[in-house]
Amino acid sequence: MHISPNDKKHYRFIELDNKLPVLLIQDETAPRSSAALSVNVGHFDDPEHRPGLAHFLEHMLFLGTEKYPKIGEFHSFINQQGGSNNAWTGTENTTFFFEISHNAFEEGLDRFGQFFYASLFNEEAVDKERKAVDSEYKLKLKDDVRRIYQVHKETVNQAHPFSKFSVGSIDTLADAEGSSIRDEMLAFYQQHYSADLMTAVVLGNRPLCELELLATQSFGSIPNQNLGHKVVDVPYVTDKEQGCWINIEPLKEVRKLSLAFHLPNQDRFYKTKPLNYLGHLLGYEGDGSLMIHLKKLGYINSLTAGGGVSGSNFREFTLAYNLTEKGLDKTDEIITLTFQYIELIKQQGLDEWRYNEKKAVLESAFQFQEKTKPLDLVSHLVMNLQRYQAEDVIYADYMMEGYHENQIVDLLNLLTPEQMRVTLVAQGLEYDHKDKWYHTPYSVRPLSQEQITTWNTKELHPDLLLPEKNPYICYNLEPQSLSKVTEFPTLIEDLPGFRLWHKQEDEFHVPKGMVYIAIDSPHSISDPRKIVKTRLCVEMLMDALSEETYQAEIAGMGYNLYCHQGGVTLTLSGFSQKQSLLLDVILKRFTTREFSAERFEFIKTQLIRHWSNASKERPISQLFNALSGILQPNNPPYPVLLEALESIESDDLPNFVQAMFSELHVEMFVYGDWSKQQALDLGDSLKNALRMQNQTYEESFRPLIMLGNSGTFQRELFCDHSDSALLIYYQSPSEDPRSFALYTLANHLMSASFFHEIRTKQQLGYMVGTGNLPLNKHPGLILYVQSPMAPPAILLDSIDEFLNAFYMVLLELNESQWQSSKQGLIDQISDPDTNLRGRAQRFWACIGNKDHNFDHKERVTDDLKSLTRTEMLRFVVGILKPRTANRLIMHSQGTEHQQYDRLDVGLEIDSIDEFQLRSKDVNLG
């Protein structure tokens, strides 16, 4: 098995007696043990009369087995032991995975293994979980991604299993005359869940021989039905479904053109990756590229190449364009230019050096591969086991064994108008169908002979060019030698208005680095209009940089510029050897302050559309956005941003930027494969670019509105959605480690119980949960639900009933369970950093939070260890109990629940400005 030189884990591949392949991974440094199992069964296998059965079965497997019959017990056990679990159902696979503390892994794996041969399908659970699946279906009724996907299903070959409705609903899963859904599900389970269709990955800190024993005990009893020969032999599309044009009407204001080409499945080419070669050239974003040319014409905002659905007997290769208003009328021309670029590749783009560039980037990524979280690793490798030879499971994603021009030519010959499906998603087109499940308007027509003739071109366009050699690719990468390494970042430059932190990384041994630059300017965030101007400037800079920096991103470097409550932050990541070149390019553009009026109009229109579309997001997302807007004045909600944006013109920006640059405070952190001198040099480049001389400005003030001791506040949002939604937020008045310990442990203790009560038992909604929500260093706790079943008033009653009774859950825990729950959370918080990026983010958060001892996490865990059950009971009864709570309730009444009474509790927030400025017993945070 080919593994990275940086990979210190031990691997063993085995096949159990029942023919189930298992990859064992011994990782002595893993924070938790983890396992995943994937079965080659998905919605393709649903009976014709039972859409969604495979998905429903996935839900049911969590709800009781012969050895562990109690509903919800698996989730509670995993949660209590500091772990997590999930599953997903795809077209041809259903995959389950969990992680848990090492000492509970044996029992966790035993519980997990029972899913696959001893599930109970409890009658009560069947009825309730059917409603959960229906809620999941209804949740996406207004989700454009799901709606477009369903039209896709309805317009391919209807004899192919991809065309089936995959989610399921209360109707498709209802009992039929003479046949119950439970009986059919049990038959499906016994027929399809066969060991020879499964793969598993087991990861722990134990020796491989012990892991092998655990895997054998847990998975060895799964029956083998000898189904390994299963194939899909129906074509995904026939001639009838190709060479066509599909119009789809979205709910949001989006304009998207996609060209999908039908190819054979590409898994057999994983060692050479010819499709990656084509995707790289067609998706190129540098000078002369198809994307830049279309962007300069004003037709598109972005282009992506290489996506598309796939299955065991097909692969779609898709080019997707986000169109401008102008581009909506130029779709034929866009397609013409695309085929001219394809012809350019055919004539001039077949070069081994291009292949070797891509190979060098992937080899570097593999050679200096960093650890991923156990749960992410097992859930990824379990799918690789389904697709690749066992010896290549780890290396397969990085392999590029050699340049085979004939493989690329074969693919190019399939990129023809006759084999293309054009999809145009936009409002106001002509439609004559509605899909069965999401009622999405669409139409299908064949491409005209004139279009096909035009697009079958041999003509090249003079402005379209192939990529030059990439100057950023590093072929000989090695980490620098270490010098005077410190445990934590050190402040190496402390000037008025400028602070530079540095730490050379000494554990992960990779030639990578992270650079963080927080640029605070009080001028940039003093009112909503200035906040919007800052966002416009950021979007325009990112837009202007894309062409110049694309080659650096291809070579394994990345950057991001984003707004925060004090100004903007620039981050750089990836291989450090040529990062200083990238920073110079960014800073040069950053300080040029050129604002193209044409690009300004494009970006302003884009932001208007994006912020307007936010009103069509699912209700719970809108509540979260409104919550932060109410509590963080420097982070206004979308409606406020929209109002401010309307009147801003490009002429407003130069003076605004001048004023912003005149009062800056910069905090910089250079971490990774950088010496102290290199960090100082980067700092000098930054100061020179920003012309920082003797500036004495402080950081921007980041206010947080405190709820104080005023009881319950509530605010209603009006969302055009059939579901209702409710969110309850509790805010800590203090920001000390003890408060973090209390709020975090409360969330940890109640999350599984809340999910079981509100979703599994009461079936109030699919989106149900609790979470930590720290804002501006203040801990916070949230409980939320989005419901197709009940209005906010009923949702609040159910949640308050849960909160009133929660102290009983705590009282019922025995001492061992109490200590185990605490230890599970302590283990989560104490997780060691698995890679350079993760550690950099943690250090940067400490710098931002003024935790200059870098020990906040340790202080929280110390407080957790000493927290008594009495203190937690006092917290639950005194702080969370609804009758006495200081909290903020956000809610939205769904269109299906208008006949119910509105929620009437606490103090209503009519005016956000008045609420933020009210006199209260606590100062602003």
Side-chain angles (χ1 to χ4, degrees):
M1 196 174 284
H2 187 39
I3 63 172
S4 166
N6 238 27
D7 189 349
K8 306 305 178 198
K9 298 184 287 295
H10 302 288
Y11 298 89
R12 180 184 296 167
F13 177 77
I14 61 170
E15 185 175 85
L16 304 183
D17 290 343
N18 57 1
K19 303 300 181 188
L20 197 161
V22 184
L23 179 64
L24 308 169
I25 307 173
Q26 179 188 353
D27 183 356
E28 293 163 0
T29 63
R32 278 179 290 283
S33 296
S34 190
L37 185 144
S38 184
V39 55
N40 179 202
V41 176
H43 85 75
F44 279 14
D45 301 286
D46 287 344
E48 291 296 334
H49 70 292
R50 283 297 187 195
L53 188 61
H55 177 220
F56 186 34
L57 175 59
E58 171 233 304
H59 278 239
M60 288 302 305
L61 295 193
F62 285 93
L63 300 177
T65 59
E66 289 173 13
K67 189 173 178 181
Y68 305 99
K70 190 175 174 186
I71 295 171
E73 190 177 13
F74 179 78
H75 186 55
S76 297
F77 174 77
I78 297 290
N79 185 71
Q80 190 179 75
Q81 300 295 335
S84 61
N85 62 274
N86 214 332
W88 56 265
T89 304
T91 53
E92 295 174 89
N93 280 85
T94 307
T95 303
F96 304 79
F97 41 93
F98 79 99
E99 65 176 1
I100 199 166
S101 61
H102 294 307
N103 59 4
F105 188 45
E106 186 169 349
E107 183 178 343
L109 200 60
D110 184 43
R111 289 173 178 270
F112 183 69
Q114 291 264 322
F115 287 6
F116 308 107
Y117 63 92
S119 274
L120 286 179
F121 304 111
N122 175 294
E123 289 276 13
E124 180 193 357
V126 167
D127 190 49
K128 287 185 172 176
E129 206 57 30
R130 177 167 40 199
K131 291 175 184 168
V133 170
D134 192 60
S135 292
E136 186 176 351
Y137 159 56
K138 288 176 176 169
L139 179 74
K140 301 286 181 75
L141 281 172
K142 294 203 170 187
D143 181 314
D144 274 334
V145 173
R146 182 59 61 90
R147 295 165 81 252
I148 292 163
Y149 186 59
Q150 193 60 39
V151 173
H152 200 74
K153 286 171 164 290
E154 216 166 274
T155 54
V156 299
N157 179 12
Q158 293 303 286
H160 192 279
F162 179 80
S163 64
K164 296 176 183 178
F165 171 55
S166 59
V167 183
S169 72
I170 201 81
D171 298 319
T172 70
L173 302 172
D175 290 337
E177 192 175 332
S179 173
S180 75
I181 186 67
R182 182 184 182 278
D183 291 342
E184 290 187 49
M185 181 165 46
L186 189 57
F188 183 88
Y189 176 64
Q190 290 168 344
Q191 178 187 348
H192 291 285
Y193 268 53
S194 175
D196 65 328
L197 294 181
M198 297 178 177
T199 53
V201 179
V202 175
L203 181 152
N205 63 349
R206 311 171 187 221
L208 289 169
C209 55
E210 287 187 34
L211 294 175
E212 182 170 348
L213 181 62
L214 287 181
T216 305
Q217 290 170 343
S218 301
F219 303 137
S221 298
I222 299 172
N224 180 1
Q225 318 279 10
N226 294 309
L227 302 177
H229 57 276
K230 71 180 274 192
V231 293
V232 179
D233 54 11
V234 181
Y236 169 68
V237 287
T238 65
D239 291 345
K240 180 185 164 192
E241 292 90 25
Q242 297 184 97
C244 64
W245 187 294
I246 303 164
N247 286 341
I248 304 177
E249 182 173 49
L251 292 172
K252 292 181 178 178
E253 192 195 336
V254 295
R255 295 180 292 269
K256 188 171 182 179
L257 174 72
S258 66
L259 315 181
F261 299 92
H262 172 239
L263 311 175
N265 177 279
Q266 295 293 298
D267 282 353
R268 67 186 186 279
F269 298 118
Y270 75 84
K271 295 183 179 183
T272 52
K273 297 184 173 53
L275 199 56
N276 286 34
Y277 183 94
L278 282 185
H280 166 61
L281 292 180
L282 284 163
Y284 177 59
E285 297 179 14
D287 185 40
S289 66
L290 177 63
M291 190 195 95
I292 293 299
H293 183 67
L294 291 170
K295 214 169 170 183
K296 285 178 177 174
L297 288 170
Y299 296 171
I300 69 168
N301 290 311
S302 66
L303 181 160
T304 54
V309 297
S310 61
S312 55
N313 74 333
F314 72 95
R315 169 72 159 90
E316 265 190 358
F317 179 80
T318 302
L319 291 153
Y321 313 76
N322 280 317
L323 303 175
T324 62
E325 279 189 72
K326 184 178 177 184
L328 190 57
D329 297 323
K330 301 289 185 180
T331 49
D332 277 34
E333 188 182 335
I334 291 168
I335 298 172
T336 301
L337 285 160
T338 300
F339 278 107
Q340 287 178 325
Y341 203 83
I342 291 170
E343 185 60 29
L344 177 65
I345 296 171
K346 285 180 181 177
Q347 293 185 25
Q348 301 174 18
L350 301 175
D351 299 292
E352 190 166 4
W353 68 264
R354 298 184 188 281
Y355 187 92
N356 289 336
E357 278 196 346
K358 183 78 176 165
K359 178 178 179 176
V361 171
L362 284 179
E363 275 300 323
S364 295
F366 183 72
Q367 184 182 353
F368 298 106
Q369 191 180 35
E370 294 183 79
K371 284 184 70 172
T372 53
K373 293 177 181 176
L375 193 66
D376 296 336
L377 181 64
V378 297
S379 52
H380 175 69
L381 292 181
V382 80
M383 287 306 297
N384 279 7
L385 269 178
Q386 290 271 339
R387 298 172 62 194
Y388 308 127
Q389 295 170 19
E391 62 269 22
D392 294 331
V393 161
I394 294 159
Y395 187 42
D397 298 320
Y398 303 87
M399 279 178 110
M400 289 190 79
E401 271 193 353
Y403 177 68
H404 293 265
E405 192 167 298
N406 60 310
Q407 293 177 359
I408 299 166
V409 170
D410 288 346
L411 288 173
L412 279 167
N413 290 335
L414 295 173
L415 305 187
T416 67
E418 291 85 354
Q419 290 192 253
M420 175 175 68
R421 288 161 52 85
V422 180
T423 303
L424 180 58
V425 179
Q427 295 175 338
L429 305 176
E430 290 183 9
Y431 323 98
D432 53 16
H433 288 72
K434 280 195 176 182
D435 94 84
K436 179 178 177 181
W437 297 102
Y438 295 85
H439 317 299
T440 308
Y442 74 94
S443 62
V444 187
R445 61 175 170 80
L447 298 177
S448 70
Q449 193 54 52
E450 184 186 351
Q451 287 174 315
I452 290 173
T453 303
T454 303
W455 296 334
N456 268 321
T457 178
K458 301 292 180 201
E459 182 188 338
L460 299 184
H461 193 290
D463 294 336
L464 294 176
L465 305 170
L466 291 162
E468 299 288 333
K469 290 194 174 179
N470 192 332
Y472 289 98
I473 290 177
C474 308
Y475 290 91
N476 298 300
L477 285 167
E478 285 298 330
Q480 299 183 62
S481 55
L482 301 173
S483 59
K484 292 185 182 175
V485 174
T486 56
E487 184 179 358
F488 300 115
T490 307
L491 187 62
I492 58 172
E493 194 164 13
D494 189 4
L495 304 171
F498 181 83
R499 292 158 65 85
L500 173 60
W501 297 82
H502 167 256
K503 173 169 164 49
Q504 188 174 19
E505 198 283 313
D506 60 326
E507 180 185 338
F508 301 115
H509 308 299
V510 287
K512 298 179 183 178
M514 295 286 298
V515 178
Y516 293 89
I517 302 166
I519 302 171
D520 270 25
S521 169
H523 186 75
S524 69
I525 44 86
S526 57
D527 62 51
R529 193 172 162 80
K530 289 175 180 170
I531 289 170
V532 171
K533 286 180 183 177
T534 304
R535 296 194 185 192
L536 276 165
C537 290
V538 164
E539 292 295 327
M540 290 196 72
L541 179 62
M542 292 294 281
D543 178 69
L545 278 169
S546 62
E547 185 177 348
E548 294 176 78
T549 57
Y550 185 71
Q551 292 278 50
E553 293 191 70
I554 290 295
M557 285 173 272
Y559 68 95
N560 191 22
L561 184 68
Y562 58 89
C563 296
H564 58 72
Q565 292 182 67
V568 296
T569 293
L570 171 66
T571 64
L572 279 77
S573 60
F575 294 117
S576 55
Q577 191 180 96
K578 297 189 179 180
Q579 247 180 46
S580 56
L581 292 176
L582 177 60
L583 182 61
D584 287 344
V585 168
I586 294 169
L587 290 178
K588 184 179 176 185
R589 176 66 67 169
F590 193 81
T591 53
T592 305
R593 304 176 205 175
E594 292 174 357
F595 298 101
S596 153
E598 187 182 13
R599 290 312 298 166
F600 172 84
E601 288 305 324
F602 278 131
I603 286 161
K604 180 178 175 180
T605 303
Q606 242 181 317
L607 282 177
I608 288 172
R609 195 164 73 246
H610 174 65
W611 291 342
S612 300
N613 282 339
S615 67
K616 296 183 177 70
E617 292 287 346
R618 58 183 62 161
I620 202 70
S621 301
Q622 294 189 54
L623 294 186
F624 272 102
N625 177 253
L627 175 78
S628 59
I630 287 173
L631 297 172
Q632 296 172 310
N634 290 10
N635 192 16
Y638 292 126
V640 174
L641 297 174
L642 266 173
E643 186 183 355
L645 177 59
E646 293 285 356
S647 61
I648 298 173
E649 301 299 334
S650 61
D651 293 346
D652 298 333
L653 296 185
N655 289 339
F656 168 74
V657 173
Q658 186 65 44
M660 189 169 79
F661 272 60
S662 67
E663 42 179 301
L664 297 179
H665 179 279
V666 175
E667 189 116 34
M668 185 174 183
F669 175 37
V670 178
Y671 173 70
D673 191 31
W674 300 98
S675 67
K676 179 179 177 181
Q677 187 55 52
Q678 287 171 325
L680 289 167
D681 291 344
L682 286 174
D684 288 342
S685 295
L686 180 66
K687 284 181 290 184
N688 292 335
L690 298 179
R691 300 182 180 88
M692 294 185 69
Q693 292 174 340
N694 304 319
Q695 296 206 7
T696 57
Y697 294 100
E698 297 295 320
E699 292 172 72
S700 304
F701 177 51
R702 295 160 170 77
L704 176 69
I705 304 303
M706 304 304 294
L707 297 181
N709 294 315
S710 303
T712 294
F713 289 100
Q714 59 106 342
R715 180 165 173 86
E716 182 173 14
L717 243 67
F718 297 94
C719 305
D720 181 20
H721 198 287
S722 56
D723 287 5
S724 292
L726 184 102
L727 183 158
I728 302 174
Y729 165 74
Y730 291 89
Q731 179 188 67
S732 169
S734 308
E735 50 185 79
D736 57 291
R738 195 74 171 181
S739 298
F740 265 92
L742 274 166
Y743 278 77
T744 310
L745 183 58
N747 172 60
H748 179 69
L749 290 166
M750 73 168 54
S751 62
S753 305
F754 184 76
F755 183 88
H756 178 67
E757 178 64 32
I758 303 300
R759 187 188 132 169
T760 307
K761 199 169 164 189
Q762 296 189 34
Q763 286 299 318
L764 285 174
Y766 177 73
M767 286 196 71
V768 171
T770 69
N772 292 304
L773 188 69
L775 296 176
N776 298 25
K777 297 194 285 185
H778 286 260
L781 174 69
I782 52 164
L783 301 94
Y784 62 88
V785 57
Q786 181 173 317
S787 174
M789 311 301 294
I794 292 176
L795 298 177
L796 182 62
D797 285 345
S798 292
I799 294 174
D800 280 352
E801 201 174 308
F802 169 84
L803 288 166
N804 278 322
F806 185 62
Y807 76 98
M808 291 298 296
V809 176
L810 296 180
L811 287 174
E812 286 167 7
L813 293 176
N814 60 39
E815 185 58 25
S816 169
Q817 289 171 321
W818 165 251
Q819 294 299 341
S820 173
S821 290
K822 284 206 305 177
Q823 191 58 48
L825 178 60
I826 288 167
D827 289 346
Q828 279 183 4
I829 293 174
S830 305
D831 269 4
D833 304 306
T834 53
N835 53 42
L836 182 140
R837 180 186 286 270
R839 181 164 295 167
Q841 287 171 339
R842 181 169 64 82
F843 282 151
W844 179 239
C846 289
I847 290 168
N849 289 328
K850 303 293 179 282
D851 174 22
H852 294 159
N853 293 320
F854 301 93
D855 65 349
H856 180 262
K857 171 165 108 163
E858 287 73 18
R859 288 186 290 147
V860 170
T861 55
D862 285 345
D863 275 313
L864 276 170
K865 288 171 187 172
S866 63
L867 257 184
T868 65
R869 199 181 333 196
T870 304
E871 278 181 276
M872 182 50 69
L873 283 165
R874 196 180 300 130
F875 175 76
V876 168
V877 174
I879 303 297
L880 303 185
K881 209 167 174 65
R883 188 174 55 80
T884 55
N886 301 305
R887 59 185 186 168
L888 173 56
I889 298 173
M890 309 291 298
H891 57 100
S892 168
Q893 191 130 339
T895 54
E896 290 293 306
H897 305 138
Q898 292 302 311
Q899 73 276 25
Y900 291 92
D901 291 339
R902 317 303 283 191
L903 179 64
D904 183 18
V905 63
L907 301 166
E908 186 173 354
I909 301 173
D910 286 321
S911 161
I912 293 176
D913 289 341
E914 286 178 19
F915 172 74
Q916 290 177 340
L917 294 170
R918 77 194 194 286
S919 59
K920 41 199 173 297
D921 55 345
V922 211
N923 292 326
L924 287 178

